[in-house]
Amino acid sequence: MRVVVVGGGSWGTAFACLAVETGPARLVLRNATAAERLRTERHNPRYLPWLEVPESVEVATLADPDALAGAELVVIAVPSRSTVDVVEALRARIPARAGVLSLTKGLDPATGGRLSERWHDALPGTPFCVLTGPNHAEEIAEGQPTAAVVAGDVDLAARVQERLTSERFRPYVNDDLLGTELCGAAKNVIAIAAGMTHGLGYGDNTLASLITRGLAEMARLGTACGARAETFHGLAGVGDLVATCTGRHSRNRRAGELLAAGMPADRIEGELGQVAEGIWTTSSLLAMAASVGVELPISAEVEEAIGGKPPLECVHALMTRAPRQWE
Amino acid sequence: MRVVVVGGGSWGTAFACLAVETGPARLVLRNATAAERLRTERHNPRYLPWLEVPESVEVATLADPDALAGAELVVIAVPSRSTVDVVEALRARIPARAGVLSLTKGLDPATGGRLSERWHDALPGTPFCVLTGPNHAEEIAEGQPTAAVVAGDVDLAARVQERLTSERFRPYVNDDLLGTELCGAAKNVIAIAAGMTHGLGYGDNTLASLITRGLAEMARLGTACGARAETFHGLAGVGDLVATCTGRHSRNRRAGELLAAGMPADRIEGELGQVAEGIWTTSSLLAMAASVGVELPISAEVEEAIGGKPPLECVHALMTRAPRQWE
């Protein structure tokens, strides 16, 4: 099963290196200069620059007419806000019988809807899955063992699992696409709150309470939308949430720390040099929650912080507005 | 409601300082020398030595015949393996109408049973509760805000909540004593495994996967014993598990790191200068699980590591014996 990864950020680059260990893989970049350097020097100049990309990873640019030639699995590793453009650029080019696997964790900033809906609308006959879980690209690039969740088209999910399973990468199949997708979107918002509390000097007790409340908030939204609660208590939910809220490599946690340090939200991605999806997801997530009558107190404070409310006031509001009843 | 805390370790000392903020409190130590120093110098020489214990905290020794005089709530903050002795020492001394609140997280090493059963057997008419949650004593002593769970006798739980609630401490009542108690015991064992993986150089992806599997293992045991699954997804479960597996102050995580570094289990508490309850809990937990027909793969590897199996082999066994199906 020939894998073609579209998107040369950290996760796309690490994923191509992972995929080539168990079969043929190609990495397609949108930036031609970066692609050329990657092809000749085997390093991604901007992301994971210490990683040597094996010669066996083919490199192409999106403008290359053969970029997707022979693809049996097209892996999408672009930010949520680029998805609309990438869907447009790819819809006529994805080979018949190929499946699409999205690594993007977020919602469509334009419509507030789920990214899977974009793909289903654009390519109604193409099997589609998402891959999520506690998957910091940096650690996967280092060769660390990792588990992940694949959800969506059942047949494609089984083929993705077979194609990618190795000693160090274990994808599990979950039949709850909706829940899996919402976990990936919502956990980045909670991670911003986690970064804010950490940045303000709160300790591990507070962080653990915040993660617990965040998990409850995610599951409340998910089950109200029709997802299964179990998804939120598994790898895609608590697993990815813990990794993103506590991990050294988490950009969304780092975004929260920068907010706590007084940096305006619109300067954070420039500082990080990478996308922090939670910043783009928060308002869509709140709109989705409002549409099903669910309150998301943590996400609401993150939205306020992104809008300029002092993070100390946001965290204080969360503390004093603690739930009345709780397990 | 006069609070008398028995046990002058980190948690007992921090708890007495917390309790005195909202009413009268006394700290009763078993060691007379330590009690004398605490009374005169207002520092606990061995635990949290930087903490100044307010003058308002009365200090007594267990040998003092008036140690429990006037107590309305007797708080037990001793290691699980001392519980039997403390039960014997206190059973005739606890004032009529006083309640008992246990802070101990573990099982009875002698019988493998729950500590609450010991208390109920010894003092059948005395209302009993446990208090648990993400509560590193060091952070509570620093004045950090924290939430906790109180479970057991419904009337006593409500009174404990009212007595202890403050701006920085929020106890929530849970009616599932069994689940709350099992969370507190089982999470320390998972934290040893977390420390082992961290000590062996595994990263945040692996840690998050381990926490997720550990939570599932805890909930499987709990529900088989008759506890509610929700308890494991709340503060007492995921909250305390995350704090203990990721926190800087976690002794059980540190115990796992020392195992990974090659230290024999019987030298670890000497090195820590404190009890690591998980070491005492593991075999009882596995026996309890066997009695209800539940497998605990992570706890089983922790038991092997405590018994001398190289931690690298234990972690490798967990990785290769990863679950077949998973959310």
Side-chain angles (χ1 to χ4, degrees):
Chain A
M1 196 179 193
R2 176 172 295 275
V3 171
V4 176
V5 180
V6 178
S10 310
W11 196 192
T13 305
F15 197 88
C17 295
L18 189 70
V20 87
E21 289 180 11
T22 46
R26 183 185 304 147
L27 180 58
V28 178
L29 285 76
R30 289 174 291 171
N31 181 312
T33 318
E36 188 49 35
R37 269 192 70 179
L38 185 57
R39 198 190 335 256
T40 53
E41 299 174 22
R42 311 312 296 181
H43 288 276
N44 190 325
R46 185 157 164 204
Y47 305 105
L48 306 173
W50 51 268
L51 173 69
E52 186 170 328
V53 177
E55 290 286 343
S56 48
V57 174
E58 298 172 25
V59 178
T61 65
L62 201 51
D64 179 346
D66 292 331
L68 271 69
E72 289 157 298
L73 181 68
V74 179
V75 178
I76 309 297
V78 301
S80 61
R81 66 169 182 274
S82 308
T83 297
V84 181
D85 294 341
V86 170
V87 168
E88 280 313 304
L90 296 185
R91 62 187 301 174
R93 298 176 63 185
I94 291 178
R97 284 192 297 279
V100 169
L101 178 68
S102 170
L103 308 187
T104 310
K105 293 176 180 176
L107 297 169
D108 180 350
T111 64
R114 292 153 53 205
L115 296 172
S116 62
E117 295 168 337
R118 276 278 175 182
W119 287 101
H120 282 133
D121 289 351
L123 294 157
T126 302
F128 176 90
C129 283
V130 299
L131 184 140
T132 183
N135 297 162
H136 287 307
E138 291 77 2
E139 293 188 356
I140 290 179
E142 288 167 6
Q144 292 261 359
T146 308
V149 172
V150 186
D153 180 272
V154 177
D155 181 57
L156 178 64
R159 286 189 292 140
V160 166
Q161 182 181 43
E162 196 187 332
R163 169 65 180 79
L164 293 173
T165 294
S166 68
E167 270 287 298
R168 73 182 187 92
F169 194 69
R170 292 181 178 269
Y172 290 88
V173 174
N174 182 322
D175 60 10
D176 179 15
L177 172 63
L178 169 61
T180 304
E181 215 176 349
L182 290 183
C183 282
K187 60 100 192 183
N188 285 329
V189 180
I190 306 299
I192 292 178
M196 280 163 47
T197 59
H198 181 71
L200 291 168
Y202 290 97
D204 296 325
N205 292 346
T206 303
L207 180 62
S209 297
L210 182 83
I211 289 173
T212 310
R213 286 179 67 185
L215 181 64
E217 178 167 318
M218 288 165 54
R220 237 172 18 241
L221 170 62
T223 50
C225 291
R228 289 194 299 122
E230 292 84 345
T231 299
F232 295 83
H233 302 137
L235 267 185
V238 68
D240 199 3
L241 179 66
V242 167
T244 310
C245 287
T246 68
R248 293 157 294 160
H249 298 295
S250 168
R251 312 170 206 174
N252 289 285
R253 176 182 151 113
R254 183 81 190 114
E257 291 171 356
L258 292 171
L259 280 173
M263 184 175 287
D266 58 6
R267 282 184 43 210
I268 286 175
E269 292 192 343
E271 172 72 21
L272 292 174
Q274 302 206 48
V275 173
E277 284 286 4
I279 295 176
W280 299 82
T281 305
T282 308
S283 61
S284 300
L285 198 72
L286 287 163
M288 184 184 284
S291 76
V292 290
V294 167
E295 285 192 28
L296 307 180
I298 299 173
S299 305
E301 289 299 334
V302 170
E303 167 144 281
E304 296 267 10
I306 291 171
K309 179 172 165 183
L312 191 61
E313 285 179 29
C314 297
V315 172
H316 188 73
L318 279 178
M319 297 284 168
T320 51
R321 243 191 278 144
R324 221 174 256 278
Q325 282 251 320
W326 216 11
E327 302 303 339
Chain B
M1 195 180 193
R2 176 173 296 274
V3 171
V4 176
V5 181
V6 177
S10 311
W11 197 191
T13 306
F15 196 87
C17 295
L18 189 69
V20 87
E21 290 180 10
T22 46
R26 183 187 304 146
L27 180 58
V28 178
L29 284 76
R30 289 174 291 169
N31 181 314
T33 318
E36 189 48 37
R37 270 194 68 181
L38 186 56
R39 197 188 338 254
T40 54
E41 299 175 22
R42 309 313 296 181
H43 288 276
N44 190 325
R46 185 157 165 203
Y47 305 105
L48 306 174
W50 52 268
L51 173 69
E52 186 170 329
V53 176
E55 290 286 344
S56 48
V57 174
E58 298 172 24
V59 178
T61 65
L62 201 51
D64 181 345
D66 292 331
L68 271 67
E72 289 157 298
L73 180 69
V74 179
V75 179
I76 309 296
V78 301
S80 60
R81 67 171 182 273
S82 308
T83 297
V84 181
D85 295 341
V86 169
V87 168
E88 279 314 302
L90 295 186
R91 63 186 301 173
R93 300 176 62 186
I94 292 178
R97 284 192 295 278
V100 169
L101 178 69
S102 169
L103 308 186
T104 309
K105 294 177 179 176
L107 297 170
D108 180 351
T111 64
R114 293 153 51 205
L115 296 171
S116 62
E117 295 168 336
R118 276 278 174 182
W119 287 100
H120 282 134
D121 289 351
L123 293 157
T126 302
F128 176 88
C129 282
V130 298
L131 183 140
T132 181
N135 296 162
H136 288 307
E138 292 77 1
E139 294 187 356
I140 290 179
E142 287 166 8
Q144 291 262 357
T146 308
V149 172
V150 185
D153 179 271
V154 177
D155 180 56
L156 178 64
R159 284 188 292 139
V160 167
Q161 182 181 43
E162 195 186 333
R163 169 65 180 80
L164 293 172
T165 293
S166 68
E167 270 287 298
R168 72 183 187 92
F169 193 68
R170 293 180 178 270
Y172 290 88
V173 174
N174 182 322
D175 60 9
D176 179 16
L177 171 63
L178 169 62
T180 304
E181 214 176 349
L182 290 183
C183 283
K187 60 101 191 181
N188 284 331
V189 180
I190 307 298
I192 292 178
M196 280 164 47
T197 59
H198 181 70
L200 291 168
Y202 290 97
D204 297 324
N205 293 345
T206 303
L207 180 62
S209 297
L210 183 83
I211 290 172
T212 311
R213 286 179 67 186
L215 181 64
E217 179 166 317
M218 288 164 54
R220 235 170 21 238
L221 170 62
T223 51
C225 290
R228 289 195 299 121
E230 292 83 346
T231 299
F232 295 83
H233 301 137
L235 267 185
V238 68
D240 198 4
L241 179 67
V242 167
T244 310
C245 287
T246 68
R248 292 158 296 161
H249 298 295
S250 168
R251 313 170 206 175
N252 290 286
R253 177 183 152 115
R254 182 81 190 116
E257 291 171 355
L258 292 171
L259 280 174
M263 184 175 286
D266 58 5
R267 282 184 42 212
I268 285 175
E269 293 192 343
E271 172 73 21
L272 292 174
Q274 301 207 49
V275 173
E277 285 285 4
I279 294 176
W280 298 82
T281 305
T282 307
S283 62
S284 300
L285 198 71
L286 286 163
M288 184 184 284
S291 75
V292 290
V294 167
E295 286 193 26
L296 307 180
I298 299 173
S299 305
E301 289 299 333
V302 170
E303 167 144 280
E304 296 266 11
I306 290 170
K309 179 173 165 184
L312 191 61
E313 284 179 30
C314 297
V315 172
H316 188 73
L318 279 178
M319 297 285 169
T320 51
R321 243 191 277 143
R324 221 174 255 280
Q325 282 250 319
W326 217 11
E327 302 302 338

